[in-house]
Amino acid sequence: MTPEPTAAGRGPLVALMATRMVSFIGVAAYFILSSWLALQCGAGTRGQALLAGALAVPSLVLGLYGGLLIDRWERRTLAQCAEVLRAAAAAGLALCSAAGELRMWHLFLATLVIGVGNAITLPCYGALLPAVSVDDRLVRTNAQWQIMTQIGTIVGALAGGPLVDAWGGSALWMPAAAYLGAASLLFLVPAVRPARKAAKAGLAAEFRTAFTVLRTDRKLLLVTVFSAVPVGFLAAANTLLAPFAQNDLGTDASGFGVLDSTWGIGALAAGLLVSRLFGERKHANLSRSLLLTGLFAILFALAPGFRSGLAAGVLLGFFLSCANIMFPAYIQRDAPDADLGKILSAVFVASSAVQLSFVAWVGIAGNAVSVRAILLVLAVLVAVLGGLLHWLIRDADADADTDADTPVPAQPVS
């Protein structure tokens, strides 16, 4: 269910949207910079897989604890602390570069620390959003959220390529500044107190409550489980994007940034249109978005050159963003606020597990299988999962209709 707004008017929501945009300028810039610097340090596909693993492992290990913190403690302060942690990691890399000592293990360690920050910030922002929304139309609010995310992603991606070409590792001061800027902007967002007071119950006991909620609502369970697919696909595809741009599409760092930004352009268009194209309560749109993401991912993987890759990237970004708008919106709408942080963090952990499994495969098969072939297999898998979700949702709808048609026995009059 959606909580009441914490303050009147749109001011808190606008402030949180601005925070999201600035934070993702840092996220996108760090992705471009760290991926390309890893290539310059001699890392190939396996090196990129190691970086992606460094980002996923903290989320997998700490993600559930992050959800517990989100539901127990004040969410704004948690997000600020995590943003400062990410800024410190990026600044440390910039200092190593300035000293001429930047090495692959430095990138690995800093990315590991940033992964810890991600384990808190990403579900924390998702839990903050419904608390400052001025109405209950969470698909539209998440579409606006996606617009700000993609503006930040496009700016960070387009700036990251030229900056790393011109400044090398010193360009890492940019994401550090963006993370600090996001932490500062959060002061404009009202504090969001937890719906449940801090308790001494352990992690397992806390999550049993959340899992009980999911077991009693089959559609919420399906949405929660499958919401890891688009997030996991995006994280896994990012593992391969730098070597795909360099080896298969034959471009440089600036071209890599442009290629990454095309996903953001498509996602920005989705943010502008999704609330008009998709309804607030039609679960079938979730499976359609997954199926279309898989189909256009296939086109992207088969792109013969840089220009065709750009066109396919826009379409892929559009439908992937539709999925990443609607899945969390449905969870935010239907999940109890006292368990929202835990459910969102469980999604984040599941997507990290998907990414980590894929990264392990890339690390093992990266030198034996082409990047294009790996992307193609991943795209086909997403399309198949979209079809599976469509079948499961239809089955759940049929069960709900049967239950609705079953007469309720009359109670005896006492």
Side-chain angles (χ1 to χ4, degrees):
M1 64 187 210
T2 305
E4 292 298 321
T6 57
R10 295 184 58 85
L13 180 60
V14 171
L16 188 59
M17 294 284 183
T19 302
R20 179 73 165 186
M21 181 187 69
V22 173
S23 179
F24 262 78
I25 289 175
V27 169
Y30 182 81
F31 168 66
I32 296 294
L33 296 172
S34 62
S35 298
W36 206 259
L37 288 170
L39 292 177
Q40 292 180 348
C41 289
T45 303
R46 289 187 177 179
Q48 298 292 334
L50 282 173
L51 274 185
L55 203 61
V57 167
S59 303
L60 189 63
V61 175
L62 302 174
L64 295 180
Y65 287 96
L68 194 64
L69 289 173
I70 290 166
D71 287 336
R72 283 187 178 184
W73 306 105
E74 201 277 299
R75 293 168 180 173
R76 184 187 67 180
T77 302
L78 282 174
Q80 286 175 314
C81 291
E83 292 287 12
V84 171
L85 181 66
R86 297 199 293 185
L93 282 180
L95 290 174
C96 288
S97 178
E101 296 294 333
L102 186 62
R103 300 290 184 270
M104 186 63 195
W105 72 267
H106 295 140
L107 287 168
F108 180 84
L109 182 61
T111 303
L112 198 66
V113 174
I114 286 176
V116 173
N118 289 348
I120 297 175
T121 54
L122 297 182
C124 193
Y125 279 138
L128 277 170
L129 184 60
V132 298
S133 180
V134 295
D135 55 38
D136 63 353
R137 297 188 62 189
L138 281 167
V139 170
R140 184 175 66 179
T141 303
N142 274 272
Q144 296 167 347
W145 186 247
Q146 188 66 235
I147 290 171
M148 303 310 292
T149 300
Q150 296 311 321
I151 290 174
T153 299
I154 292 169
V155 171
L158 290 177
L163 284 176
V164 74
D165 279 338
W167 296 349
S170 297
L172 286 159
W173 287 113
M174 177 192 174
Y179 292 139
L180 286 177
S184 300
L185 282 170
L186 279 170
F187 282 111
L188 301 176
V189 178
V192 179
R193 301 296 175 186
R196 179 179 296 158
K197 293 183 179 180
K200 294 183 178 180
L203 180 69
E206 287 277 350
F207 272 89
R208 272 198 296 270
T209 304
F211 292 147
T212 300
V213 171
L214 294 176
R215 282 199 304 269
T216 58
D217 189 334
R218 186 178 177 191
K219 284 188 177 180
L220 179 60
L221 176 61
L222 287 172
V223 173
T224 301
V225 170
F226 277 85
S227 62
V229 176
V231 181
F233 169 78
L234 179 59
N238 281 340
T239 305
L240 300 171
L241 199 57
F244 182 70
Q246 184 184 58
N247 301 330
D248 293 271
L249 300 183
T251 188
D252 57 9
S254 296
F256 169 45
V258 172
L259 182 67
D260 184 61
S261 72
T262 60
W263 292 35
I265 291 169
L268 180 60
L272 293 170
L273 297 175
V274 71
S275 61
R276 297 180 182 273
L277 297 176
F278 298 103
E280 293 283 328
R281 295 186 176 277
K282 294 181 179 179
H283 289 83
N285 288 326
L286 299 172
S287 58
R288 291 177 188 140
S289 66
L290 278 187
L291 181 60
L292 290 168
T293 294
L295 293 177
F296 282 104
I298 292 172
L299 290 179
F300 180 79
L302 295 175
F306 182 64
R307 291 185 179 179
S308 57
L310 295 180
V314 172
L315 295 170
L316 172 58
F318 179 87
F319 288 105
L320 179 59
S321 180
C322 288
N324 280 324
I325 287 170
M326 290 187 293
F327 275 97
Y330 280 52
I331 294 172
Q332 291 163 352
R333 185 195 67 195
D334 295 335
D337 187 59
D339 299 302
L340 180 59
K342 290 188 287 292
I343 292 174
L344 290 175
S345 67
V347 172
F348 190 53
V349 168
S351 64
S352 297
V354 171
Q355 181 190 8
L356 196 58
S357 300
F358 180 75
V359 164
W361 176 47
V362 171
I364 295 170
N367 292 337
V369 182
S370 70
V371 173
R372 190 185 296 274
I374 297 173
L375 273 174
L376 186 59
V377 171
L378 182 63
V380 171
L381 178 61
V382 172
V384 170
L385 289 173
L388 177 62
L389 178 59
H390 177 74
W391 178 75
L392 291 172
I393 287 288
R394 185 179 59 183
D395 189 49
D397 285 336
D399 288 345
D401 292 339
T402 301
D403 292 341
D405 293 337
T406 302
V408 179
Q411 299 294 325
V413 179
S414 57

